[in-house]
Amino acid sequence: MATSSAISKSTLQINYKTGQNANGKDVIKSDKFPKLNSAVTNDDIYAVAAALGTLLIYPVVSIERVDNNVITNQ
């Protein structure tokens, strides 16, 4: 059985630290930007996310590209 996959949708997620909880662990929040064009390069995504990160009052801890794939049987 041969299968293939194709990206069905992509999302940009920016994770940032908003502080620490009572136990001293970092509190991480995130903003998601759905409907990302799947043809966009990782370099372009990083550049946009870094620019958006400068608008936040909290430090960015990670930038993620979340791809959902559709798997089909050929």
Side-chain angles (χ1 to χ4, degrees):
M1 173 188 307
T3 60
S4 66
S5 68
I7 296 175
S8 63
K9 67 179 180 175
S10 294
T11 301
L12 166 61
Q13 181 172 318
I14 301 174
N15 302 309
Y16 49 92
K17 178 182 169 183
T18 60
Q20 292 184 332
N21 65 16
N23 296 326
K25 296 203 178 203
D26 291 342
V27 175
I28 306 297
K29 301 287 183 173
S30 64
D31 283 323
K32 295 181 181 181
F33 302 89
K35 298 184 181 180
L36 192 66
N37 185 329
S38 60
V40 175
T41 67
N42 289 336
D43 290 337
D44 291 337
I45 292 170
Y46 186 86
V48 169
L52 289 171
T54 64
L55 301 174
L56 297 171
I57 60 173
Y58 302 110
V60 173
V61 294
S62 66
I63 297 168
E64 298 179 23
R65 176 183 187 152
V66 181
D67 292 326
N68 291 4
N69 293 287
V70 173
I71 300 172
T72 57
N73 183 13
Q74 294 183 345

